[in-house]
Every structure is written in structure tokens, then in C-alpha cells.
Amino acid sequence: MKLGSSVTAVRSTRVLVGNEVRPAVVIIENGKIKQIVSHADFTEEDGSQVLDAGNSLVMPGIVDCHVHVNEPGRTSWEGFWTATRAAAAGGVTTIVDMPLNSVPPTTTLANFQEKQREAAGKCFVDTAFWGGVIPGNQLELRPMIQAGVAGFKCFLIHSGVDEFPHVTDSDLHSAMKQLQDTGSVLLFHAERDVEANPDGTNDPRQYSTFLQSRPDTMETEAIRIVTELCRQYQVRCHIVHLSSAQPLELIQMARQSGAPLTVETTHHYLSLCAEDIPAGATQFKCCPPIRGSTNRELLWSALKDGKIDMVVSDHSPCTPDLKKLECGDFTQAWGGISSLQFGLSLFWSSASKRGFTVPDVVRLLCHETARLCRLDNQKGCLAPGYDADLVIWDPEKEFEVITKIIQMHDPLMMAKIYVLLLKVQVKEGNIHHKNKLTPYLGVTLQGLVRTTIIRGQLVYRDGCFCPEPLGQLLLLPSRAHAAHL
């Protein structure tokens, strides 16, 4: 079966049907799932395109609602072509692009329209868009809702880029008033400046120096503000990339009092821990920071207990020079981790050892992420009427992020070796996002993606892509428009 062709049915001995994995055939018509039947009830017709997945697992494609594509403006960091190819290779069938770090940011209707023009014809997976809330743009919010943004994001601390300034309390109240009764959602980068209490080394090459500069209280104080706003205005609010377990009690109390509040964490907070980060290894830097192993286990417990709603990549790449690998200065390096292609495997590698099941994967990486951005009526579920977005993968199969890694403890030597490995990696094409630096280089992961299908079309299979992008731009109907449908 050729890449890019339309599939009429997918057959496997392992298909997730409801909460049960069993033999089944997913029948596809006009890009939608028509029905799911047993092998005995399926009759293959002449001319049909049936993909036999053997014993590989078939489930809904991943919906990653936290991706920084950076186009237009910073295409040396990433772009729609490379980001969506990486997504397809990882079984991600829908991404939602963040309003920064593109130039211009998605903070006005005109900028949103420019972003759509840039994305057109470049997406290998379906792509939706977040808008941004910055000081003074409150009158742009409703026009962007009408134009189809999934919702909005704001920062309570410096964003890292000057063109996307953080909001004040006054800005937040203005934005919340605009968002009332729209059905939209406001996402918060929930860190707030607090007085730091440095303890120990000030060596910028030590990860502990950076970690001490972003204590848990920064998240707690920010989330306290978010919960108060959410209760007051009854506007849907969402906390992005929770790294600290300390604010979980605040979040639970707000929910119990009726606040429409959700929260996500990321693969790096669940997979990595501060104790294992070597000096000068700035590829591990992100904001909020990766914290200790005890905190990580508390996040896993909260995920199992339903206190954290979903898991995303927060794919935030940059060019290697911005990571300051040669000097290993955590205080100066760009904060962001690239992992879009490996999210499913990263999650399953750890989750499967902690008692999570395939239905849990779908709930946390597909359904809840789709629901956040109002795509849950068409994405994130293997059922009749939904888009035929499928990932076919082998949960037991292990693979290395790159085929060879040399372990070195000298950061300068690591940087030099990285350049050498990068050249080999590009040639081998194992990592598909634009800049290959990631903390997962050399890590063995469990769960290999074999095939990705988007709206019934075969876009990725065993390392190869369809010749042309087949993804669509997803514009979300506003509540007023949806009421007339």
C-alpha cells in the first residue's frame, strides 16, 4: 500500500475497542470511522485497501495540545513541515500550535491569519492553533475566537521572548471579562516571580543552581492567582506544564469549589529527574524546571488518581547554539525540550512499569487533550463518526533514539561529539524535528510507532512519509457559530 493512499480498513489482533484490546477491523469511509467489527464479520471487497497490522496495537492517534512550531519568524528553530513530520513519526495525528515563539506571535486577528497562510500546505498532521493574551490585546480575543482559535495562552512571568510580554493582574481581569460566555479557555504558564533564597553553589554549570532559581513556590503562588480568577469568572482555565507537585492541593480545592480548572504535565517531568542531570548538560533546561525524583513520583501518583488531567510534550526547540553547550551555562541557555516525536514512547516506557494501561494512554494523551481544545467530537477516540486518525504501534518493542552514543562527562567534549553525531543523525533520519538536540539522545525507549493514519490516509510507515503533506488546518467554531450548526 502506497504512502498517501486512502485506507478502507485496518485489521489487527489488537485494537482498542472501548476499554478492551481485542481482535477487530476498523472500517473507514470518507475519512471517518464507519464501524468496528470482528474479524469474522468483516468481508474484504474487491478493490478495497485493507491494511493488515498483524499483532501491532491500533488505537486513536495522539492529540498533542502543547507544541511550539515557531513559524513564521523563527524557522531556524522549527517549522510546520519538520514539526508535523516529527509528529507523524511519533503517532501524533493532531497538534495545537502555541502562540509563541513565532514572529509575529498569535496575539491579533491579523497575526493569526498570517500564521494560517504560513502553515497552509506544510502540515503532515492536522493542526489547530492557540491565540495569546498579552497586555492591551483584550479587544482582539473575540475576533480570534470567531476566526477559530482553540483558546488562549498567557504568561505570569517573562516568557523568554520580548514580543510576548507577560500579563499583569489588570490584564488578566480584562481578558477574563472578554472570555466570559464564549466557551473558550485560558491557558496559564503558571510561574510568578518570588524572592529567591539561594542555598549552596552559584556555579552556572551546576543544574542545582538553576533549579534553586525556580523554586516550587513560583508555581504555587501563580496557581493561587489562577484558581481565584477561575472561581470568580467561571471561565475555563488550564495550567500548562505543571512541574511541581506542591500546588496539587490548591488545584483540587479549586475544583471542588466549582472552578472549571484543568491541568497538564509533560513527558520530561515524568521521565527525568534533577539528580540525574550532569553539570553543563543544558539540553535538560526547561521552565518550570525538572525537579527531583520524589516530586516526579508524586506527579505519577496524581496522574493515576485523576488529579492531573493530561500529558503533553511542550515541544519547545531552538538552535543548538542557544543551548550554550560549549560553556554549559544553565543560567544563559534557552529553556525548552524537544520531544514531539517521542511522546508516546516516553510515556509508555515509564507508565507501563507503574500499572498504567493502554486505555489510560488514550485518556491522557488523546481524549483529554482533544477535549481541552474542543476537538473531542472528532478526535481522540476510536468510535464510529470520529476522524479515522490511528496510530499503529508495538508497545513491547524497544528502540534507541539514536543508534550510537558515546558517554562523556566533559561538557565541552560532549558538545564536540554532539556535532559529529548530529551529522550522522541527519543522514540516518532517525529524528525528524529540525534541531536534533534532546535530552533523550541515546535513551532506550519502549513502544515503537509503525504506522500513522490521518483521516483514513496513510501518512507514515516504518520511517517513511507520504510525498505531500495531507494534514488540515483546524479552525474551531465559536460557541455562537456552533449553536447554529
Side-chain angles (χ1 to χ4, degrees):
M1 188 177 298
K2 289 184 178 180
L3 284 158
S5 60
S6 293
V7 180
T8 56
V10 176
R11 176 172 48 212
S12 175
T13 59
R14 292 193 292 176
V15 179
L16 182 66
V17 183
N19 286 322
E20 180 188 3
V21 176
R22 58 180 173 82
V25 181
V26 181
I27 300 173
I28 300 168
E29 186 175 275
N30 298 322
K32 300 281 187 180
I33 297 172
K34 183 180 180 182
Q35 61 182 135
I36 301 174
V37 300
S38 68
H39 286 191
D41 291 335
F42 175 67
T43 302
E44 188 170 340
E45 299 177 358
D46 290 341
S48 61
Q49 293 280 319
V50 179
L51 194 156
D52 194 331
N55 193 45
S56 294
L57 178 65
V58 180
M59 71 175 211
I62 306 301
V63 178
D64 193 336
C65 60
H66 194 147
V67 178
H68 293 269
V69 177
N70 307 332
E71 188 173 4
R74 287 192 174 96
T75 51
S76 61
W77 295 20
E78 192 65 279
F80 287 104
W81 186 278
T82 51
T84 56
R85 281 168 68 94
V92 178
T93 51
T94 302
I95 65 168
V96 191
D97 174 53
M98 281 292 168
L100 74 165
N101 303 301
S102 58
V103 180
T106 315
T107 52
T108 68
L109 177 60
N111 291 355
F112 179 38
Q113 291 167 339
E114 181 176 350
K115 177 162 280 194
Q116 291 175 64
R117 289 192 295 270
E118 290 288 338
K122 297 178 182 176
C123 296
F124 285 79
V125 303
D126 286 355
T127 303
F129 304 91
W130 297 114
V133 172
I134 60 172
N137 83 326
Q138 65 268 21
L139 296 183
E140 293 281 353
L141 305 186
R142 291 197 175 216
M144 281 195 280
I145 291 171
Q146 293 294 326
V149 296
F152 299 91
K153 182 183 183 180
C154 68
F155 277 71
L156 303 184
I157 195 172
H158 194 282
S159 70
V161 292
D162 292 339
E163 68 273 5
F164 199 97
H166 66 286
V167 290
T168 65
D169 289 349
S170 175
D171 298 321
L172 285 170
H173 286 285
S174 296
M176 295 295 267
K177 289 172 184 174
Q178 291 293 317
L179 295 179
Q180 278 185 312
D181 301 318
T182 65
S184 194
V185 60
L186 183 56
L187 283 55
F188 291 82
H189 180 119
E191 287 183 288
R192 191 91 163 184
D193 280 318
V194 298
E195 188 173 342
N197 293 310
D199 182 23
T201 179
N202 289 318
D203 182 353
R205 296 176 65 257
Q206 296 296 326
Y207 183 73
S208 58
T209 301
F210 169 62
L211 181 58
Q212 289 168 16
S213 74
R214 315 281 290 217
D216 301 75
T217 52
M218 292 179 68
E219 291 188 78
T220 300
E221 290 310 307
I223 288 171
R224 194 182 311 278
I225 292 168
V226 175
T227 59
E228 291 169 358
L229 286 165
C230 191
R231 273 192 291 250
Q232 178 181 350
Y233 289 97
Q234 289 296 302
V235 167
R236 285 200 301 142
C237 295
H238 178 75
I239 296 160
V240 299
H241 51 47
L242 182 76
S243 81
S244 172
Q246 287 188 13
L248 283 166
E249 186 176 353
L250 267 177
I251 295 167
Q252 280 301 103
M253 289 173 59
R255 288 168 151 176
Q256 290 166 3
S257 68
L261 179 64
T262 52
V263 58
E264 71 187 34
T265 192
T266 73
H267 301 299
H268 38 276
Y269 300 135
L270 295 171
S271 301
L272 307 171
C273 63
E275 296 91 331
D276 295 337
I277 299 176
T282 53
Q283 63 269 35
F284 288 85
K285 180 181 175 179
C286 59
C287 298
I290 295 161
R291 303 192 187 276
S293 56
T294 300
N295 178 83
R296 179 182 63 184
E297 294 311 312
L298 291 172
L299 293 178
W300 276 110
S301 295
L303 203 60
K304 177 150 277 193
D305 294 341
K307 296 177 181 177
I308 296 175
D309 301 286
M310 63 198 75
V311 184
V312 298
S313 71
D314 185 16
H315 178 70
S316 185
C318 67
T319 52
D321 60 296
L322 295 178
K323 278 294 189 180
K324 307 294 182 184
L325 276 172
E326 291 195 4
C327 64
D329 187 336
F330 279 100
T331 66
Q332 297 299 314
W334 173 260
I337 287 178
S338 298
S339 63
L340 177 58
Q341 182 179 338
F342 304 111
L344 174 58
S345 304
L346 282 165
F347 184 76
W348 185 245
S349 296
S350 297
S352 60
K353 297 176 177 64
R354 290 174 168 85
F356 287 76
T357 63
V358 172
D360 294 324
V361 175
V362 171
R363 173 173 55 86
L364 295 165
L365 273 64
C366 308
H367 182 70
E368 290 301 320
T369 49
R371 184 158 71 166
L372 175 68
C373 44
R374 295 183 295 124
L375 287 168
D376 53 315
N377 63 336
Q378 64 186 103
K379 305 287 188 183
C381 185
L382 212 63
Y386 281 78
D387 287 355
D389 295 348
L390 312 178
V391 55
I392 302 171
W393 62 298
D394 294 336
E396 299 81 16
K397 182 74 173 179
E398 292 187 344
F399 69 98
E400 284 186 280
V401 176
I402 68 171
T403 56
K404 184 178 181 182
I405 186 73
I406 302 174
Q407 299 294 332
M408 299 293 289
H409 299 288
D410 184 303
L412 180 58
M413 187 61 71
M414 284 175 68
K416 292 177 180 176
I417 289 172
Y418 163 69
V419 173
L420 174 63
L421 289 172
L422 178 60
K423 293 177 181 176
V424 174
Q425 191 61 36
V426 171
K427 181 179 178 181
E428 294 177 349
N430 200 358
I431 297 177
H432 297 288
H433 48 79
K434 183 168 288 185
N435 292 292
K436 315 303 175 184
L437 184 59
T438 170
Y440 306 112
L441 288 170
V443 174
T444 299
L445 298 177
Q446 183 180 341
L448 180 65
V449 173
R450 294 292 190 185
T451 303
T452 303
I453 295 170
I454 296 174
R455 284 173 286 97
Q457 298 168 103
L458 188 61
V459 299
Y460 172 84
R461 193 174 193 183
D462 294 330
C464 298
F465 298 88
C466 56
E468 298 295 334
L470 296 174
Q472 293 182 353
L473 305 188
L474 304 176
L475 302 180
L476 280 295
S478 66
R479 175 179 281 184
H481 176 65
H484 295 291
L485 294 181

